[in-house]
Amino acid sequence: MSGFQTYRHLLLQTMPGSNSDKSTLTASSQGSSKTTEKRRADESEVFTRMSYLAIETNTNASSSSGSLPPQKSVLRTVFNIPCLLIMAFASLPRAFIKACISIKDLITLQNSKRFFKVLLLLVPIIYAGIYCVGSLSSRRLAEGLASQEMTEHHETELKSLWQSHTLLEEKIHEIEHIKEQMQHLHAEINGVMEGILHSVQETLEESDIPGENKDQVLEMINVAFKKVYEDHIQMPDWAQKSIGATIDTGRTSKSYELGKTEGCCFSSWFFSSANPPDTILQPDVHPGNCWAFQGSQGQVVIKLPEKVYPTAVTLQHISKAISPSGDVTSAPKDFAVCGLDEETGKEILLGTFMYDSGKETIQTFQLKSELSKFFVYIKFNVLSNWGNPEYTCVYRVRVHGKMTDKS
């Protein structure tokens, strides 16, 4: 018998439609014990056949190697490979059917009950595990996002605080510098006053004026110097830059632009540069050292260093005698004073007044006490001036009142 006929004979024997397979299926349906024995016998039979096939193939290959030429031996080996593959694929359905029969025999009613009990126990455990892992991961993710947002928020706050700290240090240095300048000016003024009093005293001693009259004259001169030095306004001024008062630039009119004064000789006298609004918070009232805004109407909002119960305001301008133009048409005329509520932003009118440019340069106006309360922001609103159509100049504004803890 040739090798190909031998492979064909074995292939027919292992086909699912053969008599041996039918007998095997019939025996497996009769009982689990007979099925198991039959399955073992079939497996041993298949192993025996495969062993026989391998031995015969080796024998034929060895016998043919001596008699046949090398090319025919190679061709025979090539033709044997498809036969082996076909036989292997043909045995797969039979093995699958046997496996199904074995599983069917194993699955009994008692095993099914056990399987369902185990399944009922495993399903909640698996579900609980999945739920715990999911909730834990989502919580960690949420905590990570929240911590990242908090970190960014803290970084932003720290940056703003550092900027505020830097700005505050700059303001403190500026205030200290202003205080040093004021102390230096006070020392110079005191020196001038002492020198004048000493000169007056020497002049009186050289004259024939009696001693009592000399003392009276010196006292009168001293009082006059004190009035000039203290501005004869014996009230605290809360609108001073040196003690922390500032200007709310967002609610203050824009400064007068120098470019609009072309062709006006008066501009060269007063405006060497545009002065900021906080010029009105400083005691220097030399000609030109004022804050100017365009037109005859404007406003300035002053932020006081503390909450103050305002009782009066003082407005100061220069006199005609020292004005380079010989007039004070740029001085404010009608104006109103309001207190701004921090919470609601509502304006409370504290009084409407008129600054008379023909009288003293420093004029004080009493506010309505029945409408007043504690304020941090005071609004000074100019309604008209004394005739200048181009701009209005404000030299100095003072706010008088009492602090919260002294009320």
Side-chain angles (χ1 to χ4, degrees), residues 266 270 317 327-332 385-388 391-395:
F266 182 70
F270 271 94
H317 200 79
D327 61 58
V328 287
T329 57
S330 62
N385 63 15
W386 284 94
N388 193 316
Y391 54 86
T392 302
C393 288
V394 181
Y395 275 85

Side-chain angles (χ1 to χ4, degrees), residues 280 290-293 315-317 332 380 382 392-397:
I280 66 174
C290 64
W291 170 63
F293 58 85
L315 182 61
Q316 183 175 357
H317 200 79
F380 181 77
V382 178
T392 302
C393 288
V394 181
Y395 275 85
R396 188 178 181 187
V397 176

Side-chain angles (χ1 to χ4, degrees), residues 80-97:
N80 289 338
I81 292 173
C83 295
L84 291 173
L85 294 174
I86 293 171
M87 186 175 64
F89 281 112
S91 62
L92 288 176
R94 181 179 179 184
F96 179 72
I97 292 171

